[in-house]
Amino acid sequence: MSLLTVEIAAAGYGPATVLHEVGFEVATGGRLVVLGANGAGKTTLLRTISGLTTVDGSIRLDGTELVGLAPHRIAGAGIAHVPQGRGTFGDLTVRENLLVGGATRPGRAAAADADRWMERFPRLGERAARPAAGLSGGEQQLLAIARALMSTPRLLLLDEPSLGLAPKVTSELFSTLDELCGETGTAMLLVEQNAELALGIAETALVIESGRITVRGSAAELRDNDDVRRAYLGV
Ligand SMILES: Nc1ncnc2c1ncn2[C@@H]1O[C@H](COP(=O)(O)OP(=O)(O)OP(=O)(O)O)[C@@H](O)[C@H]1O
Ligand SMILES: [Mg+2]
């Protein structure tokens, strides 16, 4: 059964409609990658799922209608969103950032989980008491993902986690993401411009152009699609 069912007739910012007739599903524990050029509407799609835009349509998580719910209720239903750019609170310490992510859970469970993350990723552990603003780009992205997973979501929305990172750091980050979601069974909706890496960890994929889905299929099918190769894989 599908975890997330998206049936958007139109979505955007007040009178400015950005998405048109966007429909797809994410399976339980599944991984979908969304590709698209700058301005195509990728961020708007994630923001729409999180309840941050004006939407006409239906978006359901395990059958529960999300359209009309306040963003915190959508998060509470099991969706964690790692926004584009720095998804961390720079003034808060690394530990505080993690605890914010687990704020809806009992304090002791969240604290134990934060400790577990910092043991698992020593670069975060060593900087536990320092402001997140002092972390490198890759460390901040890792912290943003760990913070999102602190809420034990069923679906993780990721908006261009590779943005601004060196290729080696991006590749490490994607392996970590693959590993973490695999271990926890968390489904993933990943927006990326780094198509090569993203298609490598996804099962299904779609391309958005000017707010509409123009290509969809398995990750393997998109990797073999000539238009996708030219536009997103540079070959
Ligand atoms: N707050 C807003 N109010 C009005 N229009 C907006 C707003 N945010 C984005 N838009 C418009 O919506 C369209 C899609 O933007 P969006 O940020 O979703 O694209 P994107 O695919 O995420 O691009 P990028 O790859 O550059 O991040 C653009 O035309 C943009 O100008
Ligand atoms: Mg964007």
Side-chain angles (χ1 to χ4, degrees), residues 191-227:
V191 161
E192 254 301 330
Q193 299 222 23
N194 191 325
E196 181 71 49
L197 279 173
L199 290 172
I201 64 166
E203 287 145 9
T204 53
L206 48 89
V207 175
I208 295 191
E209 287 173 50
S210 305
R212 293 174 194 276
I213 297 177
T214 52
V215 184
R216 66 169 84 219
S218 69
E221 281 164 352
L222 262 76
R223 228 189 272 118
D224 289 340
N225 178 305
D226 283 342
D227 293 339

Short mmCIF file of all heavy atoms in Angstrom, two decimals, residues 191-227:
data_model
loop_
_atom_site.label_atom_id
_atom_site.label_comp_id
_atom_site.label_asym_id
_atom_site.label_seq_id
_atom_site.Cartn_x
_atom_site.Cartn_y
_atom_site.Cartn_z
N VAL A 191 14.28 15.74 -3.43
CA VAL A 191 14.40 16.68 -4.54
C VAL A 191 15.89 16.91 -4.77
O VAL A 191 16.62 17.18 -3.82
CB VAL A 191 13.72 18.02 -4.17
CG1 VAL A 191 14.21 19.14 -5.05
CG2 VAL A 191 12.21 17.89 -4.26
N GLU A 192 16.33 16.75 -6.00
CA GLU A 192 17.77 16.88 -6.23
C GLU A 192 18.08 17.39 -7.63
O GLU A 192 17.35 17.15 -8.57
CB GLU A 192 18.46 15.51 -6.07
CG GLU A 192 19.25 15.38 -4.80
CD GLU A 192 20.37 16.42 -4.66
OE1 GLU A 192 20.95 16.90 -5.66
OE2 GLU A 192 20.67 16.77 -3.51
N GLN A 193 19.20 18.09 -7.74
CA GLN A 193 19.73 18.40 -9.07
C GLN A 193 20.88 17.46 -9.39
O GLN A 193 21.27 17.32 -10.54
CB GLN A 193 20.19 19.86 -9.13
CG GLN A 193 19.04 20.82 -8.88
CD GLN A 193 19.03 22.02 -9.80
OE1 GLN A 193 19.58 22.00 -10.90
NE2 GLN A 193 18.39 23.09 -9.37
N ASN A 194 21.43 16.83 -8.35
CA ASN A 194 22.47 15.83 -8.58
C ASN A 194 21.79 14.51 -8.94
O ASN A 194 21.61 13.62 -8.11
CB ASN A 194 23.36 15.68 -7.35
CG ASN A 194 24.59 14.85 -7.66
OD1 ASN A 194 24.54 13.91 -8.45
ND2 ASN A 194 25.70 15.19 -7.05
N ALA A 195 21.40 14.39 -10.22
CA ALA A 195 20.57 13.27 -10.65
C ALA A 195 21.29 11.94 -10.52
O ALA A 195 20.69 10.93 -10.16
CB ALA A 195 20.14 13.49 -12.09
N GLU A 196 22.57 11.94 -10.82
CA GLU A 196 23.32 10.69 -10.81
C GLU A 196 23.24 10.00 -9.44
O GLU A 196 22.84 8.85 -9.32
CB GLU A 196 24.79 11.02 -11.15
CG GLU A 196 25.72 9.84 -11.21
CD GLU A 196 25.46 8.98 -12.44
OE1 GLU A 196 25.38 9.58 -13.53
OE2 GLU A 196 25.32 7.76 -12.29
N LEU A 197 23.58 10.76 -8.40
CA LEU A 197 23.57 10.19 -7.05
C LEU A 197 22.15 9.90 -6.58
O LEU A 197 21.89 8.87 -5.98
CB LEU A 197 24.24 11.16 -6.07
CG LEU A 197 25.76 11.12 -6.05
CD1 LEU A 197 26.29 12.25 -5.17
CD2 LEU A 197 26.26 9.78 -5.53
N ALA A 198 21.24 10.82 -6.87
CA ALA A 198 19.87 10.66 -6.38
C ALA A 198 19.22 9.42 -7.00
O ALA A 198 18.58 8.63 -6.31
CB ALA A 198 19.06 11.90 -6.69
N LEU A 199 19.40 9.24 -8.31
CA LEU A 199 18.79 8.07 -8.97
C LEU A 199 19.42 6.79 -8.44
O LEU A 199 18.79 5.74 -8.43
CB LEU A 199 18.95 8.17 -10.49
CG LEU A 199 18.10 9.25 -11.16
CD1 LEU A 199 18.47 9.40 -12.63
CD2 LEU A 199 16.61 8.95 -11.02
N GLY A 200 20.66 6.91 -7.96
CA GLY A 200 21.35 5.74 -7.41
C GLY A 200 20.74 5.21 -6.12
O GLY A 200 20.85 4.03 -5.83
N ILE A 201 20.09 6.08 -5.34
CA ILE A 201 19.50 5.58 -4.09
C ILE A 201 17.97 5.52 -4.14
O ILE A 201 17.34 5.15 -3.17
CB ILE A 201 19.96 6.39 -2.84
CG1 ILE A 201 19.47 7.84 -2.89
CG2 ILE A 201 21.47 6.34 -2.67
CD1 ILE A 201 19.62 8.55 -1.53
N ALA A 202 17.38 5.92 -5.29
CA ALA A 202 15.92 5.94 -5.37
C ALA A 202 15.38 4.72 -6.12
O ALA A 202 16.12 4.03 -6.81
CB ALA A 202 15.46 7.20 -6.08
N GLU A 203 14.09 4.47 -5.95
CA GLU A 203 13.43 3.39 -6.68
C GLU A 203 12.64 3.96 -7.85
O GLU A 203 12.64 3.42 -8.93
CB GLU A 203 12.46 2.64 -5.75
CG GLU A 203 13.18 1.79 -4.73
CD GLU A 203 12.45 1.76 -3.41
OE1 GLU A 203 11.32 2.27 -3.32
OE2 GLU A 203 13.04 1.24 -2.45
N THR A 204 11.93 5.06 -7.57
CA THR A 204 11.13 5.69 -8.61
C THR A 204 11.54 7.16 -8.74
O THR A 204 12.17 7.71 -7.84
CB THR A 204 9.62 5.62 -8.28
OG1 THR A 204 9.42 6.16 -6.98
CG2 THR A 204 9.11 4.20 -8.32
N ALA A 205 11.18 7.75 -9.87
CA ALA A 205 11.61 9.12 -10.11
C ALA A 205 10.63 9.83 -11.00
O ALA A 205 9.87 9.20 -11.75
CB ALA A 205 12.98 9.11 -10.78
N LEU A 206 10.61 11.16 -10.88
CA LEU A 206 9.84 11.95 -11.82
C LEU A 206 10.54 13.27 -12.08
O LEU A 206 11.37 13.71 -11.30
CB LEU A 206 8.39 12.14 -11.35
CG LEU A 206 8.09 12.59 -9.93
CD1 LEU A 206 8.07 14.10 -9.90
CD2 LEU A 206 6.71 12.06 -9.55
N VAL A 207 10.20 13.85 -13.23
CA VAL A 207 10.77 15.14 -13.62
C VAL A 207 9.63 16.16 -13.62
O VAL A 207 8.55 15.87 -14.15
CB VAL A 207 11.40 15.07 -15.03
CG1 VAL A 207 11.87 16.44 -15.48
CG2 VAL A 207 12.55 14.07 -15.06
N ILE A 208 9.88 17.31 -13.02
CA ILE A 208 8.91 18.41 -13.06
C ILE A 208 9.47 19.52 -13.94
O ILE A 208 10.63 19.91 -13.80
CB ILE A 208 8.65 18.98 -11.65
CG1 ILE A 208 7.99 17.93 -10.77
CG2 ILE A 208 7.76 20.22 -11.72
CD1 ILE A 208 7.46 18.49 -9.47
N GLU A 209 8.64 19.98 -14.88
CA GLU A 209 9.01 21.14 -15.70
C GLU A 209 7.86 22.11 -15.65
O GLU A 209 6.71 21.72 -15.88
CB GLU A 209 9.26 20.71 -17.16
CG GLU A 209 10.56 19.94 -17.34
CD GLU A 209 10.69 19.38 -18.76
OE1 GLU A 209 10.50 20.15 -19.71
OE2 GLU A 209 10.94 18.17 -18.88
N SER A 210 8.17 23.37 -15.35
CA SER A 210 7.14 24.42 -15.23
C SER A 210 5.92 23.95 -14.45
O SER A 210 4.78 24.18 -14.86
CB SER A 210 6.70 24.89 -16.62
OG SER A 210 7.82 25.30 -17.36
N GLY A 211 6.17 23.26 -13.33
CA GLY A 211 5.08 22.90 -12.44
C GLY A 211 4.26 21.69 -12.85
O GLY A 211 3.24 21.39 -12.22
N ARG A 212 4.69 20.98 -13.89
CA ARG A 212 3.97 19.78 -14.33
C ARG A 212 4.93 18.60 -14.40
O ARG A 212 6.10 18.78 -14.74
CB ARG A 212 3.37 19.97 -15.73
CG ARG A 212 2.29 20.99 -15.78
CD ARG A 212 1.84 21.23 -17.23
NE ARG A 212 1.03 22.43 -17.30
CZ ARG A 212 -0.27 22.47 -17.03
NH1 ARG A 212 -0.91 21.36 -16.73
NH2 ARG A 212 -0.93 23.61 -17.07
N ILE A 213 4.39 17.40 -14.16
CA ILE A 213 5.22 16.20 -14.30
C ILE A 213 5.33 15.86 -15.78
O ILE A 213 4.31 15.72 -16.47
CB ILE A 213 4.60 15.01 -13.54
CG1 ILE A 213 4.57 15.32 -12.03
CG2 ILE A 213 5.41 13.73 -13.80
CD1 ILE A 213 3.91 14.25 -11.19
N THR A 214 6.57 15.77 -16.28
CA THR A 214 6.75 15.50 -17.71
C THR A 214 7.31 14.10 -17.97
O THR A 214 7.14 13.56 -19.06
CB THR A 214 7.68 16.54 -18.36
OG1 THR A 214 8.88 16.60 -17.58
CG2 THR A 214 7.03 17.91 -18.40
N VAL A 215 8.00 13.55 -16.99
CA VAL A 215 8.56 12.19 -17.14
C VAL A 215 8.38 11.49 -15.80
O VAL A 215 8.55 12.10 -14.75
CB VAL A 215 10.08 12.24 -17.45
CG1 VAL A 215 10.62 10.82 -17.70
CG2 VAL A 215 10.39 13.14 -18.63
N ARG A 216 8.04 10.19 -15.85
CA ARG A 216 8.00 9.42 -14.61
C ARG A 216 8.33 7.97 -14.91
O ARG A 216 8.13 7.50 -16.03
CB ARG A 216 6.66 9.55 -13.90
CG ARG A 216 5.49 8.94 -14.67
CD ARG A 216 4.26 8.86 -13.80
NE ARG A 216 3.50 10.08 -13.76
CZ ARG A 216 2.91 10.58 -12.67
NH1 ARG A 216 3.04 9.97 -11.51
NH2 ARG A 216 2.20 11.68 -12.73
N GLY A 217 8.86 7.27 -13.92
CA GLY A 217 9.18 5.87 -14.12
C GLY A 217 10.06 5.37 -12.99
O GLY A 217 10.19 6.02 -11.96
N SER A 218 10.66 4.20 -13.20
CA SER A 218 11.60 3.70 -12.20
C SER A 218 12.88 4.52 -12.33
O SER A 218 13.13 5.15 -13.37
CB SER A 218 11.89 2.22 -12.43
OG SER A 218 12.64 2.08 -13.62
N ALA A 219 13.71 4.49 -11.30
CA ALA A 219 14.97 5.23 -11.34
C ALA A 219 15.81 4.74 -12.52
O ALA A 219 16.43 5.53 -13.23
CB ALA A 219 15.71 5.08 -10.02
N ALA A 220 15.78 3.43 -12.75
CA ALA A 220 16.56 2.85 -13.86
C ALA A 220 16.04 3.37 -15.21
O ALA A 220 16.82 3.69 -16.10
CB ALA A 220 16.49 1.33 -13.80
N GLU A 221 14.71 3.46 -15.33
CA GLU A 221 14.14 3.96 -16.60
C GLU A 221 14.57 5.40 -16.86
O GLU A 221 14.89 5.76 -17.99
CB GLU A 221 12.60 3.87 -16.56
CG GLU A 221 12.06 2.48 -16.81
CD GLU A 221 10.60 2.31 -16.40
OE1 GLU A 221 10.02 3.23 -15.77
OE2 GLU A 221 10.05 1.25 -16.68
N LEU A 222 14.56 6.21 -15.80
CA LEU A 222 14.95 7.61 -16.01
C LEU A 222 16.43 7.73 -16.35
O LEU A 222 16.82 8.60 -17.12
CB LEU A 222 14.59 8.47 -14.80
CG LEU A 222 13.26 9.21 -15.04
CD1 LEU A 222 12.08 8.28 -14.88
CD2 LEU A 222 13.14 10.43 -14.17
N ARG A 223 17.23 6.84 -15.77
CA ARG A 223 18.67 6.88 -16.07
C ARG A 223 18.92 6.55 -17.54
O ARG A 223 19.90 6.98 -18.12
CB ARG A 223 19.42 5.91 -15.15
CG ARG A 223 20.63 6.57 -14.53
CD ARG A 223 21.50 5.59 -13.80
NE ARG A 223 21.10 5.42 -12.42
CZ ARG A 223 20.68 4.28 -11.88
NH1 ARG A 223 20.60 3.19 -12.61
NH2 ARG A 223 20.35 4.22 -10.63
N ASP A 224 18.01 5.77 -18.14
CA ASP A 224 18.16 5.38 -19.54
C ASP A 224 17.42 6.30 -20.50
O ASP A 224 17.49 6.11 -21.71
CB ASP A 224 17.62 3.95 -19.75
CG ASP A 224 18.54 2.93 -19.11
OD1 ASP A 224 19.72 3.27 -18.85
OD2 ASP A 224 18.07 1.81 -18.83
N ASN A 225 16.68 7.27 -19.95
CA ASN A 225 15.88 8.15 -20.81
C ASN A 225 16.79 9.24 -21.42
O ASN A 225 17.48 9.95 -20.70
CB ASN A 225 14.79 8.77 -19.92
CG ASN A 225 13.91 9.76 -20.66
OD1 ASN A 225 14.40 10.70 -21.26
ND2 ASN A 225 12.61 9.53 -20.60
N ASP A 226 16.78 9.33 -22.75
CA ASP A 226 17.71 10.24 -23.43
C ASP A 226 17.53 11.70 -23.01
O ASP A 226 18.51 12.41 -22.80
CB ASP A 226 17.54 10.14 -24.95
CG ASP A 226 18.21 8.88 -25.50
OD1 ASP A 226 19.06 8.32 -24.76
OD2 ASP A 226 17.88 8.47 -26.62
N ASP A 227 16.26 12.15 -22.88
CA ASP A 227 16.02 13.54 -22.49
C ASP A 227 16.56 13.80 -21.08
O ASP A 227 17.16 14.84 -20.81
CB ASP A 227 14.52 13.85 -22.50
CG ASP A 227 13.96 13.81 -23.92
OD1 ASP A 227 14.76 13.95 -24.87
OD2 ASP A 227 12.73 13.62 -24.06
#
